[in-house]
Amino acid sequence: MNIITYPERSQWNDLLRRPTLNTATLRETVLEVLERVRTEGDKAVIEYEEKFDHVHLDSLTVSEEEFAEAEKAVSIELKAAIMLAFNNIKKFHEAQKFESKPVNTLPGVTCWQKAVAIEKVGLYIPGGTAPLFSTVLMLATPAQIAGCKEIVLCTPPNREGKIHPAILYAAKIAGVSRVFKAGGVQAIGAMAYGTSSVPKVYKIFGPGNQYVMAAKQEVSLHDVAIDMPAGPSEVAVLADETANPIFVASDLLSQAEHGVDSQSMLITTSATLIRAVTEEVERQLEELPRKEIAARSLEHSKLILIDNMELAVEMMNRYAPEHLIIETKNYHELAEKIVNAGSVFLGAYSPESAGDYASGTNHTLPTNGYAKAYSGVSLDSFIRKITFQEITKEGIATIGPAIEVMAANEYLDAHKNAVSVRLKM
């Protein structure tokens, strides 16, 4: 890992830059795949599954028999863990339900909002090197609570044409309507445009590689909404001399094993902690089955030594991490000063992996500095708020003259007239 000591402010932007992959031909490939899926539907998706996922499919749809097989294949221990996580995620997101309150802005003028679920949503669950059944829970659970009528899930199959059993079990538990065997750009295209098998949705959720992210951003220009722009996963740890180096090292590695383009960051006021964490990372890395992936991620991860905690907090807010762990003696005090982060974990016994799986908060979060402007997925992500208003004759008499003046000064006479005719009655 890269160790940086007491950097000048002028260096901060370069230090906090995320790793990037070569994307010179990425958009060209994405556009080609999307156009074929848009015009050829299932045929194109099946052909791209054979090309990219190396599997021949006769049908994209997961059958009821496959759901039944999956339920038998999932161990009792994993079922219990999934149910615990589901219940916590459900409890946390149910508490976010919107309560509409009519507001009388003036006598005779009443305004209110109504929360309405997005009717059709699409969830993308990556396959790749790990079956992310936890992401199924994070996306489908709030969609179910919101009342989405159709919850569609796309995920790549293995080379035998099967979906990981835990993904199907989690989908059934969390209320997914239908599951389809499709990954990558072709899955995003199928949900954005609709095919004979995959229904067109109104909003697409879920993480993925840079091709998936580029595809989501492309279809969001004209065809469908998306949850947020995103990039590779990241974690930052803010720590002082009281932090446990074993815990800090394990947190850095838990993010590093996500992928070679993931980033782990430690910002601390303790040189002693940096030395101890470096040694501990090396020790723990050797014990990881995914140590090759983690090691490549650590090449662009950083341990930064800062003069004082005030500067460290300022730097962390500049970085705006997806996940932030604060392991200091006064973590509650410092947490109040954090304004840019996706999700924050406080104290020595709050690892990022708790939020990834089972504490209840959502793990679909803004990355790449987007936490400065975006929230993570929540119940609100699956609903729209429609405003209503009711104005009585008394009310229009009260606000009408102001509307007339404003409309006239914008030279919109028809707007003015719509009020004037009512004031004369």
mmCIF file of all heavy atoms in Angstrom, residues 252-301:
data_model
loop_
_atom_site.group_PDB
_atom_site.id
_atom_site.type_symbol
_atom_site.label_atom_id
_atom_site.label_comp_id
_atom_site.label_asym_id
_atom_site.label_seq_id
_atom_site.Cartn_x
_atom_site.Cartn_y
_atom_site.Cartn_z
ATOM 1 N N LEU A 252 -9.920 -2.662 5.609
ATOM 2 C CA LEU A 252 -9.304 -2.299 4.336
ATOM 3 C C LEU A 252 -9.339 -3.478 3.367
ATOM 4 O O LEU A 252 -9.634 -3.323 2.175
ATOM 5 C CB LEU A 252 -7.865 -1.834 4.555
ATOM 6 C CG LEU A 252 -7.671 -0.586 5.423
ATOM 7 C CD1 LEU A 252 -6.188 -0.308 5.626
ATOM 8 C CD2 LEU A 252 -8.365 0.616 4.805
ATOM 9 N N LEU A 253 -9.059 -4.666 3.866
ATOM 10 C CA LEU A 253 -9.035 -5.858 3.018
ATOM 11 C C LEU A 253 -10.437 -6.294 2.600
ATOM 12 O O LEU A 253 -10.622 -6.832 1.503
ATOM 13 C CB LEU A 253 -8.322 -7.005 3.737
ATOM 14 C CG LEU A 253 -6.807 -6.859 3.825
ATOM 15 C CD1 LEU A 253 -6.227 -7.878 4.805
ATOM 16 C CD2 LEU A 253 -6.169 -7.044 2.446
ATOM 17 N N SER A 254 -11.418 -6.062 3.454
ATOM 18 C CA SER A 254 -12.778 -6.480 3.104
ATOM 19 C C SER A 254 -13.273 -5.738 1.869
ATOM 20 O O SER A 254 -14.067 -6.262 1.091
ATOM 21 C CB SER A 254 -13.738 -6.254 4.275
ATOM 22 O OG SER A 254 -13.994 -4.877 4.472
ATOM 23 N N GLN A 255 -12.788 -4.517 1.678
ATOM 24 C CA GLN A 255 -13.163 -3.774 0.476
ATOM 25 C C GLN A 255 -12.263 -4.138 -0.690
ATOM 26 O O GLN A 255 -12.710 -4.239 -1.833
ATOM 27 C CB GLN A 255 -13.078 -2.277 0.748
ATOM 28 C CG GLN A 255 -13.814 -1.435 -0.271
ATOM 29 C CD GLN A 255 -15.298 -1.743 -0.288
ATOM 30 O OE1 GLN A 255 -15.945 -1.788 0.739
ATOM 31 N NE2 GLN A 255 -15.839 -1.988 -1.463
ATOM 32 N N ALA A 256 -10.970 -4.346 -0.404
ATOM 33 C CA ALA A 256 -10.011 -4.641 -1.467
ATOM 34 C C ALA A 256 -10.363 -5.925 -2.222
ATOM 35 O O ALA A 256 -10.093 -6.046 -3.416
ATOM 36 C CB ALA A 256 -8.601 -4.748 -0.879
ATOM 37 N N GLU A 257 -10.982 -6.889 -1.546
ATOM 38 C CA GLU A 257 -11.286 -8.156 -2.213
ATOM 39 C C GLU A 257 -12.467 -8.053 -3.177
ATOM 40 O O GLU A 257 -12.748 -8.979 -3.916
ATOM 41 C CB GLU A 257 -11.529 -9.269 -1.190
ATOM 42 C CG GLU A 257 -12.845 -9.194 -0.447
ATOM 43 C CD GLU A 257 -13.119 -10.429 0.402
ATOM 44 O OE1 GLU A 257 -12.310 -11.377 0.349
ATOM 45 O OE2 GLU A 257 -14.141 -10.447 1.111
ATOM 46 N N HIS A 258 -13.180 -6.916 -3.183
ATOM 47 C CA HIS A 258 -14.301 -6.738 -4.112
ATOM 48 C C HIS A 258 -13.829 -6.837 -5.554
ATOM 49 O O HIS A 258 -14.469 -7.487 -6.390
ATOM 50 C CB HIS A 258 -14.958 -5.375 -3.893
ATOM 51 C CG HIS A 258 -16.202 -5.449 -3.065
ATOM 52 N ND1 HIS A 258 -17.320 -6.121 -3.461
ATOM 53 C CD2 HIS A 258 -16.488 -4.916 -1.852
ATOM 54 C CE1 HIS A 258 -18.256 -6.008 -2.529
ATOM 55 N NE2 HIS A 258 -17.777 -5.284 -1.537
ATOM 56 N N GLY A 259 -12.739 -6.131 -5.880
ATOM 57 C CA GLY A 259 -12.266 -6.127 -7.258
ATOM 58 C C GLY A 259 -10.956 -5.386 -7.372
ATOM 59 O O GLY A 259 -10.579 -4.618 -6.471
ATOM 60 N N VAL A 260 -10.267 -5.583 -8.479
ATOM 61 C CA VAL A 260 -8.940 -4.980 -8.649
ATOM 62 C C VAL A 260 -9.013 -3.463 -8.750
ATOM 63 O O VAL A 260 -8.010 -2.770 -8.534
ATOM 64 C CB VAL A 260 -8.228 -5.546 -9.891
ATOM 65 C CG1 VAL A 260 -7.993 -7.039 -9.731
ATOM 66 C CG2 VAL A 260 -9.029 -5.259 -11.168
ATOM 67 N N ASP A 261 -10.198 -2.920 -9.085
ATOM 68 C CA ASP A 261 -10.341 -1.470 -9.180
ATOM 69 C C ASP A 261 -10.977 -0.858 -7.936
ATOM 70 O O ASP A 261 -11.270 0.340 -7.894
ATOM 71 C CB ASP A 261 -11.139 -1.082 -10.428
ATOM 72 C CG ASP A 261 -12.468 -1.813 -10.517
ATOM 73 O OD1 ASP A 261 -12.737 -2.675 -9.658
ATOM 74 O OD2 ASP A 261 -13.236 -1.528 -11.456
ATOM 75 N N SER A 262 -11.200 -1.660 -6.894
ATOM 76 C CA SER A 262 -11.696 -1.124 -5.626
ATOM 77 C C SER A 262 -10.576 -0.328 -4.938
ATOM 78 O O SER A 262 -9.396 -0.508 -5.240
ATOM 79 C CB SER A 262 -12.155 -2.252 -4.704
ATOM 80 O OG SER A 262 -13.267 -2.917 -5.251
ATOM 81 N N GLN A 263 -10.969 0.534 -4.014
ATOM 82 C CA GLN A 263 -9.966 1.332 -3.314
ATOM 83 C C GLN A 263 -10.216 1.335 -1.814
ATOM 84 O O GLN A 263 -11.354 1.466 -1.370
ATOM 85 C CB GLN A 263 -9.967 2.774 -3.835
ATOM 86 C CG GLN A 263 -8.826 3.617 -3.268
ATOM 87 C CD GLN A 263 -8.744 4.985 -3.909
ATOM 88 O OE1 GLN A 263 -9.710 5.733 -3.926
ATOM 89 N NE2 GLN A 263 -7.577 5.329 -4.444
ATOM 90 N N SER A 264 -9.136 1.183 -1.053
ATOM 91 C CA SER A 264 -9.184 1.264 0.408
ATOM 92 C C SER A 264 -8.300 2.417 0.849
ATOM 93 O O SER A 264 -7.193 2.600 0.340
ATOM 94 C CB SER A 264 -8.697 -0.041 1.044
ATOM 95 O OG SER A 264 -9.504 -1.126 0.639
ATOM 96 N N MET A 265 -8.778 3.194 1.821
ATOM 97 C CA MET A 265 -8.064 4.394 2.242
ATOM 98 C C MET A 265 -8.063 4.482 3.769
ATOM 99 O O MET A 265 -9.088 4.257 4.408
ATOM 100 C CB MET A 265 -8.795 5.613 1.663
ATOM 101 C CG MET A 265 -8.167 6.939 1.975
ATOM 102 S SD MET A 265 -6.945 7.427 0.750
ATOM 103 C CE MET A 265 -7.999 7.764 -0.656
ATOM 104 N N LEU A 266 -6.904 4.785 4.341
ATOM 105 C CA LEU A 266 -6.803 5.071 5.772
ATOM 106 C C LEU A 266 -6.267 6.489 5.926
ATOM 107 O O LEU A 266 -5.219 6.825 5.373
ATOM 108 C CB LEU A 266 -5.869 4.090 6.474
ATOM 109 C CG LEU A 266 -5.471 4.458 7.921
ATOM 110 C CD1 LEU A 266 -6.683 4.455 8.841
ATOM 111 C CD2 LEU A 266 -4.394 3.499 8.447
ATOM 112 N N ILE A 267 -7.002 7.319 6.655
ATOM 113 C CA ILE A 267 -6.531 8.657 6.999
ATOM 114 C C ILE A 267 -6.428 8.703 8.529
ATOM 115 O O ILE A 267 -7.410 8.455 9.229
ATOM 116 C CB ILE A 267 -7.480 9.746 6.475
ATOM 117 C CG1 ILE A 267 -7.588 9.666 4.945
ATOM 118 C CG2 ILE A 267 -6.999 11.126 6.903
ATOM 119 C CD1 ILE A 267 -8.552 10.661 4.332
ATOM 120 N N THR A 268 -5.239 8.993 9.017
ATOM 121 C CA THR A 268 -5.007 8.889 10.463
ATOM 122 C C THR A 268 -4.020 9.939 10.944
ATOM 123 O O THR A 268 -3.236 10.498 10.155
ATOM 124 C CB THR A 268 -4.485 7.487 10.824
ATOM 125 O OG1 THR A 268 -4.304 7.398 12.243
ATOM 126 C CG2 THR A 268 -3.170 7.182 10.132
ATOM 127 N N THR A 269 -4.052 10.182 12.236
ATOM 128 C CA THR A 269 -3.094 11.090 12.875
ATOM 129 C C THR A 269 -1.966 10.315 13.570
ATOM 130 O O THR A 269 -1.129 10.918 14.239
ATOM 131 C CB THR A 269 -3.823 11.958 13.925
ATOM 132 O OG1 THR A 269 -4.553 11.097 14.814
ATOM 133 C CG2 THR A 269 -4.791 12.922 13.254
ATOM 134 N N SER A 270 -1.956 8.990 13.402
ATOM 135 C CA SER A 270 -1.003 8.151 14.148
ATOM 136 C C SER A 270 -0.048 7.406 13.203
ATOM 137 O O SER A 270 -0.468 6.512 12.457
ATOM 138 C CB SER A 270 -1.763 7.141 15.015
ATOM 139 O OG SER A 270 -0.880 6.195 15.578
ATOM 140 N N ALA A 271 1.249 7.763 13.276
ATOM 141 C CA ALA A 271 2.263 7.046 12.494
ATOM 142 C C ALA A 271 2.416 5.615 12.999
ATOM 143 O O ALA A 271 2.650 4.677 12.204
ATOM 144 C CB ALA A 271 3.601 7.780 12.580
ATOM 145 N N THR A 272 2.248 5.432 14.294
ATOM 146 C CA THR A 272 2.345 4.088 14.876
ATOM 147 C C THR A 272 1.263 3.181 14.304
ATOM 148 O O THR A 272 1.516 2.007 13.985
ATOM 149 C CB THR A 272 2.201 4.158 16.402
ATOM 150 O OG1 THR A 272 3.219 5.016 16.922
ATOM 151 C CG2 THR A 272 2.326 2.779 17.031
ATOM 152 N N LEU A 273 0.058 3.715 14.163
ATOM 153 C CA LEU A 273 -1.041 2.916 13.604
ATOM 154 C C LEU A 273 -0.738 2.517 12.170
ATOM 155 O O LEU A 273 -0.992 1.372 11.773
ATOM 156 C CB LEU A 273 -2.353 3.703 13.665
ATOM 157 C CG LEU A 273 -3.576 2.970 13.092
ATOM 158 C CD1 LEU A 273 -3.935 1.768 13.961
ATOM 159 C CD2 LEU A 273 -4.774 3.908 12.962
ATOM 160 N N ILE A 274 -0.190 3.421 11.367
ATOM 161 C CA ILE A 274 0.127 3.093 9.976
ATOM 162 C C ILE A 274 1.105 1.926 9.907
ATOM 163 O O ILE A 274 0.920 0.989 9.109
ATOM 164 C CB ILE A 274 0.679 4.334 9.239
ATOM 165 C CG1 ILE A 274 -0.475 5.295 8.920
ATOM 166 C CG2 ILE A 274 1.402 3.926 7.949
ATOM 167 C CD1 ILE A 274 -0.076 6.524 8.126
ATOM 168 N N ARG A 275 2.133 1.953 10.726
ATOM 169 C CA ARG A 275 3.104 0.846 10.718
ATOM 170 C C ARG A 275 2.431 -0.465 11.104
ATOM 171 O O ARG A 275 2.659 -1.511 10.469
ATOM 172 C CB ARG A 275 4.261 1.161 11.674
ATOM 173 C CG ARG A 275 5.201 2.240 11.169
ATOM 174 C CD ARG A 275 6.469 2.306 12.001
ATOM 175 N NE ARG A 275 6.192 2.736 13.379
ATOM 176 C CZ ARG A 275 6.183 4.006 13.773
ATOM 177 N NH1 ARG A 275 6.421 4.971 12.891
ATOM 178 N NH2 ARG A 275 5.943 4.325 15.028
ATOM 179 N N ALA A 276 1.610 -0.423 12.137
ATOM 180 C CA ALA A 276 0.949 -1.642 12.607
ATOM 181 C C ALA A 276 -0.056 -2.158 11.583
ATOM 182 O O ALA A 276 -0.165 -3.375 11.359
ATOM 183 C CB ALA A 276 0.256 -1.374 13.938
ATOM 184 N N VAL A 277 -0.789 -1.261 10.942
ATOM 185 C CA VAL A 277 -1.780 -1.670 9.937
ATOM 186 C C VAL A 277 -1.083 -2.281 8.723
ATOM 187 O O VAL A 277 -1.547 -3.285 8.166
ATOM 188 C CB VAL A 277 -2.655 -0.465 9.524
ATOM 189 C CG1 VAL A 277 -3.465 -0.786 8.258
ATOM 190 C CG2 VAL A 277 -3.601 -0.087 10.655
ATOM 191 N N THR A 278 0.038 -1.694 8.318
ATOM 192 C CA THR A 278 0.786 -2.235 7.172
ATOM 193 C C THR A 278 1.196 -3.678 7.429
ATOM 194 O O THR A 278 1.026 -4.556 6.569
ATOM 195 C CB THR A 278 2.039 -1.378 6.903
ATOM 196 O OG1 THR A 278 1.644 -0.030 6.645
ATOM 197 C CG2 THR A 278 2.800 -1.904 5.694
ATOM 198 N N GLU A 279 1.729 -3.948 8.606
ATOM 199 C CA GLU A 279 2.134 -5.311 8.962
ATOM 200 C C GLU A 279 0.936 -6.251 9.019
ATOM 201 O O GLU A 279 0.996 -7.393 8.552
ATOM 202 C CB GLU A 279 2.863 -5.303 10.315
ATOM 203 C CG GLU A 279 4.190 -4.571 10.292
ATOM 204 C CD GLU A 279 4.804 -4.443 11.685
ATOM 205 O OE1 GLU A 279 4.209 -4.994 12.648
ATOM 206 O OE2 GLU A 279 5.863 -3.785 11.813
ATOM 207 N N GLU A 280 -0.165 -5.760 9.574
ATOM 208 C CA GLU A 280 -1.346 -6.590 9.738
ATOM 209 C C GLU A 280 -2.020 -6.891 8.397
ATOM 210 O O GLU A 280 -2.532 -7.988 8.184
ATOM 211 C CB GLU A 280 -2.336 -5.907 10.689
ATOM 212 C CG GLU A 280 -3.469 -6.785 11.173
ATOM 213 C CD GLU A 280 -3.007 -8.031 11.910
ATOM 214 O OE1 GLU A 280 -1.972 -7.973 12.612
ATOM 215 O OE2 GLU A 280 -3.691 -9.075 11.785
ATOM 216 N N VAL A 281 -2.008 -5.931 7.489
ATOM 217 C CA VAL A 281 -2.558 -6.167 6.143
ATOM 218 C C VAL A 281 -1.779 -7.278 5.452
ATOM 219 O O VAL A 281 -2.362 -8.187 4.847
ATOM 220 C CB VAL A 281 -2.526 -4.869 5.295
ATOM 221 C CG1 VAL A 281 -2.720 -5.188 3.815
ATOM 222 C CG2 VAL A 281 -3.619 -3.912 5.755
ATOM 223 N N GLU A 282 -0.464 -7.225 5.540
ATOM 224 C CA GLU A 282 0.369 -8.262 4.915
ATOM 225 C C GLU A 282 0.071 -9.637 5.504
ATOM 226 O O GLU A 282 0.005 -10.638 4.782
ATOM 227 C CB GLU A 282 1.854 -7.909 5.081
ATOM 228 C CG GLU A 282 2.272 -6.688 4.269
ATOM 229 C CD GLU A 282 3.712 -6.284 4.546
ATOM 230 O OE1 GLU A 282 4.368 -6.961 5.375
ATOM 231 O OE2 GLU A 282 4.171 -5.302 3.946
ATOM 232 N N ARG A 283 -0.116 -9.683 6.821
ATOM 233 C CA ARG A 283 -0.387 -10.969 7.468
ATOM 234 C C ARG A 283 -1.753 -11.510 7.064
ATOM 235 O O ARG A 283 -1.883 -12.674 6.668
ATOM 236 C CB ARG A 283 -0.318 -10.811 8.995
ATOM 237 C CG ARG A 283 -0.445 -12.132 9.745
ATOM 238 C CD ARG A 283 -0.594 -11.928 11.237
ATOM 239 N NE ARG A 283 -1.860 -11.312 11.601
ATOM 240 C CZ ARG A 283 -3.024 -11.978 11.651
ATOM 241 N NH1 ARG A 283 -3.065 -13.274 11.346
ATOM 242 N NH2 ARG A 283 -4.132 -11.366 12.003
ATOM 243 N N GLN A 284 -2.785 -10.669 7.138
ATOM 244 C CA GLN A 284 -4.136 -11.130 6.826
ATOM 245 C C GLN A 284 -4.309 -11.439 5.341
ATOM 246 O O GLN A 284 -5.074 -12.336 4.972
ATOM 247 C CB GLN A 284 -5.165 -10.077 7.270
ATOM 248 C CG GLN A 284 -5.269 -9.907 8.774
ATOM 249 C CD GLN A 284 -6.384 -8.937 9.160
ATOM 250 O OE1 GLN A 284 -7.371 -8.803 8.463
ATOM 251 N NE2 GLN A 284 -6.213 -8.256 10.294
ATOM 252 N N LEU A 285 -3.598 -10.699 4.500
ATOM 253 C CA LEU A 285 -3.718 -10.903 3.054
ATOM 254 C C LEU A 285 -3.352 -12.327 2.664
ATOM 255 O O LEU A 285 -4.010 -12.938 1.801
ATOM 256 C CB LEU A 285 -2.825 -9.900 2.315
ATOM 257 C CG LEU A 285 -2.821 -9.982 0.785
ATOM 258 C CD1 LEU A 285 -4.208 -9.679 0.225
ATOM 259 C CD2 LEU A 285 -1.783 -9.022 0.210
ATOM 260 N N GLU A 286 -2.349 -12.865 3.286
ATOM 261 C CA GLU A 286 -1.883 -14.211 2.944
ATOM 262 C C GLU A 286 -2.927 -15.282 3.260
ATOM 263 O O GLU A 286 -2.867 -16.385 2.726
ATOM 264 C CB GLU A 286 -0.581 -14.519 3.696
ATOM 265 C CG GLU A 286 0.606 -13.737 3.179
ATOM 266 C CD GLU A 286 0.834 -13.946 1.688
ATOM 267 O OE1 GLU A 286 0.861 -15.124 1.251
ATOM 268 O OE2 GLU A 286 0.951 -12.949 0.966
ATOM 269 N N GLU A 287 -3.877 -14.965 4.112
ATOM 270 C CA GLU A 287 -4.880 -15.953 4.512
ATOM 271 C C GLU A 287 -6.151 -15.888 3.658
ATOM 272 O O GLU A 287 -7.062 -16.699 3.839
ATOM 273 C CB GLU A 287 -5.253 -15.739 5.988
ATOM 274 C CG GLU A 287 -4.064 -15.908 6.933
ATOM 275 C CD GLU A 287 -4.424 -15.537 8.371
ATOM 276 O OE1 GLU A 287 -5.583 -15.138 8.613
ATOM 277 O OE2 GLU A 287 -3.539 -15.650 9.239
ATOM 278 N N LEU A 288 -6.212 -14.927 2.730
ATOM 279 C CA LEU A 288 -7.431 -14.732 1.954
ATOM 280 C C LEU A 288 -7.459 -15.564 0.676
ATOM 281 O O LEU A 288 -6.489 -15.558 -0.085
ATOM 282 C CB LEU A 288 -7.588 -13.249 1.573
ATOM 283 C CG LEU A 288 -7.805 -12.247 2.707
ATOM 284 C CD1 LEU A 288 -7.877 -10.839 2.140
ATOM 285 C CD2 LEU A 288 -9.086 -12.576 3.474
ATOM 286 N N PRO A 289 -8.552 -16.263 0.402
ATOM 287 C CA PRO A 289 -8.680 -16.993 -0.872
ATOM 288 C C PRO A 289 -8.623 -16.053 -2.076
ATOM 289 O O PRO A 289 -8.144 -16.438 -3.141
ATOM 290 C CB PRO A 289 -10.056 -17.660 -0.763
ATOM 291 C CG PRO A 289 -10.348 -17.730 0.700
ATOM 292 C CD PRO A 289 -9.694 -16.523 1.297
ATOM 293 N N ARG A 290 -9.101 -14.807 -1.897
ATOM 294 C CA ARG A 290 -9.091 -13.837 -2.994
ATOM 295 C C ARG A 290 -7.907 -12.867 -2.865
ATOM 296 O O ARG A 290 -8.001 -11.692 -3.225
ATOM 297 C CB ARG A 290 -10.416 -13.059 -2.994
ATOM 298 C CG ARG A 290 -11.613 -13.939 -3.327
ATOM 299 C CD ARG A 290 -12.930 -13.244 -2.993
ATOM 300 N NE ARG A 290 -13.190 -12.071 -3.815
ATOM 301 C CZ ARG A 290 -13.834 -12.083 -4.979
ATOM 302 N NH1 ARG A 290 -14.265 -13.224 -5.487
ATOM 303 N NH2 ARG A 290 -14.047 -10.975 -5.655
ATOM 304 N N LYS A 291 -6.779 -13.382 -2.378
ATOM 305 C CA LYS A 291 -5.660 -12.490 -2.082
ATOM 306 C C LYS A 291 -5.067 -11.845 -3.337
ATOM 307 O O LYS A 291 -4.556 -10.724 -3.275
ATOM 308 C CB LYS A 291 -4.565 -13.229 -1.302
ATOM 309 C CG LYS A 291 -3.829 -14.322 -2.053
ATOM 310 C CD LYS A 291 -2.769 -14.934 -1.154
ATOM 311 C CE LYS A 291 -1.998 -16.048 -1.866
ATOM 312 N NZ LYS A 291 -0.972 -16.653 -0.971
ATOM 313 N N GLU A 292 -5.175 -12.521 -4.487
ATOM 314 C CA GLU A 292 -4.624 -11.939 -5.711
ATOM 315 C C GLU A 292 -5.412 -10.685 -6.105
ATOM 316 O O GLU A 292 -4.835 -9.664 -6.475
ATOM 317 C CB GLU A 292 -4.669 -12.966 -6.842
ATOM 318 C CG GLU A 292 -3.965 -12.501 -8.106
ATOM 319 C CD GLU A 292 -3.915 -13.571 -9.174
ATOM 320 O OE1 GLU A 292 -3.811 -14.771 -8.822
ATOM 321 O OE2 GLU A 292 -3.988 -13.210 -10.353
ATOM 322 N N ILE A 293 -6.738 -10.769 -6.011
ATOM 323 C CA ILE A 293 -7.579 -9.607 -6.309
ATOM 324 C C ILE A 293 -7.310 -8.494 -5.300
ATOM 325 O O ILE A 293 -7.117 -7.332 -5.663
ATOM 326 C CB ILE A 293 -9.067 -10.002 -6.281
ATOM 327 C CG1 ILE A 293 -9.397 -10.928 -7.452
ATOM 328 C CG2 ILE A 293 -9.967 -8.769 -6.311
ATOM 329 C CD1 ILE A 293 -10.795 -11.501 -7.418
ATOM 330 N N ALA A 294 -7.287 -8.849 -4.016
ATOM 331 C CA ALA A 294 -7.070 -7.853 -2.965
ATOM 332 C C ALA A 294 -5.712 -7.179 -3.113
ATOM 333 O O ALA A 294 -5.587 -5.958 -2.932
ATOM 334 C CB ALA A 294 -7.197 -8.505 -1.598
ATOM 335 N N ALA A 295 -4.696 -7.956 -3.445
ATOM 336 C CA ALA A 295 -3.345 -7.403 -3.574
ATOM 337 C C ALA A 295 -3.282 -6.371 -4.695
ATOM 338 O O ALA A 295 -2.644 -5.318 -4.548
ATOM 339 C CB ALA A 295 -2.343 -8.521 -3.836
ATOM 340 N N ARG A 296 -3.946 -6.652 -5.813
ATOM 341 C CA ARG A 296 -3.956 -5.680 -6.925
ATOM 342 C C ARG A 296 -4.709 -4.421 -6.537
ATOM 343 O O ARG A 296 -4.331 -3.312 -6.922
ATOM 344 C CB ARG A 296 -4.556 -6.323 -8.165
ATOM 345 C CG ARG A 296 -3.645 -7.379 -8.791
ATOM 346 C CD ARG A 296 -4.260 -7.964 -10.040
ATOM 347 N NE ARG A 296 -4.485 -6.948 -11.065
ATOM 348 C CZ ARG A 296 -5.165 -7.168 -12.187
ATOM 349 N NH1 ARG A 296 -5.700 -8.363 -12.416
ATOM 350 N NH2 ARG A 296 -5.318 -6.207 -13.085
ATOM 351 N N SER A 297 -5.786 -4.570 -5.761
ATOM 352 C CA SER A 297 -6.519 -3.395 -5.283
ATOM 353 C C SER A 297 -5.655 -2.558 -4.357
ATOM 354 O O SER A 297 -5.678 -1.313 -4.413
ATOM 355 C CB SER A 297 -7.797 -3.840 -4.560
ATOM 356 O OG SER A 297 -8.400 -2.763 -3.888
ATOM 357 N N LEU A 298 -4.879 -3.212 -3.498
ATOM 358 C CA LEU A 298 -4.050 -2.491 -2.528
ATOM 359 C C LEU A 298 -2.961 -1.659 -3.202
ATOM 360 O O LEU A 298 -2.436 -0.717 -2.605
ATOM 361 C CB LEU A 298 -3.423 -3.463 -1.542
ATOM 362 C CG LEU A 298 -4.396 -4.172 -0.580
ATOM 363 C CD1 LEU A 298 -3.653 -5.185 0.277
ATOM 364 C CD2 LEU A 298 -5.126 -3.159 0.299
ATOM 365 N N GLU A 299 -2.637 -1.991 -4.440
ATOM 366 C CA GLU A 299 -1.601 -1.234 -5.150
ATOM 367 C C GLU A 299 -1.987 0.235 -5.321
ATOM 368 O O GLU A 299 -1.128 1.111 -5.386
ATOM 369 C CB GLU A 299 -1.329 -1.864 -6.522
ATOM 370 C CG GLU A 299 -0.616 -3.208 -6.441
ATOM 371 C CD GLU A 299 -0.504 -3.886 -7.804
ATOM 372 O OE1 GLU A 299 -0.861 -3.245 -8.824
ATOM 373 O OE2 GLU A 299 -0.059 -5.050 -7.849
ATOM 374 N N HIS A 300 -3.292 0.520 -5.423
ATOM 375 C CA HIS A 300 -3.706 1.920 -5.536
ATOM 376 C C HIS A 300 -4.514 2.368 -4.314
ATOM 377 O O HIS A 300 -5.287 3.320 -4.389
ATOM 378 C CB HIS A 300 -4.491 2.178 -6.841
ATOM 379 C CG HIS A 300 -5.505 1.123 -7.153
ATOM 380 N ND1 HIS A 300 -5.373 0.279 -8.226
ATOM 381 C CD2 HIS A 300 -6.646 0.768 -6.537
ATOM 382 C CE1 HIS A 300 -6.403 -0.554 -8.267
ATOM 383 N NE2 HIS A 300 -7.190 -0.260 -7.252
ATOM 384 N N SER A 301 -4.333 1.653 -3.214
ATOM 385 C CA SER A 301 -4.924 2.084 -1.949
ATOM 386 C C SER A 301 -3.873 2.862 -1.153
ATOM 387 O O SER A 301 -2.679 2.749 -1.413
ATOM 388 C CB SER A 301 -5.410 0.870 -1.168
ATOM 389 O OG SER A 301 -6.464 0.235 -1.879
#
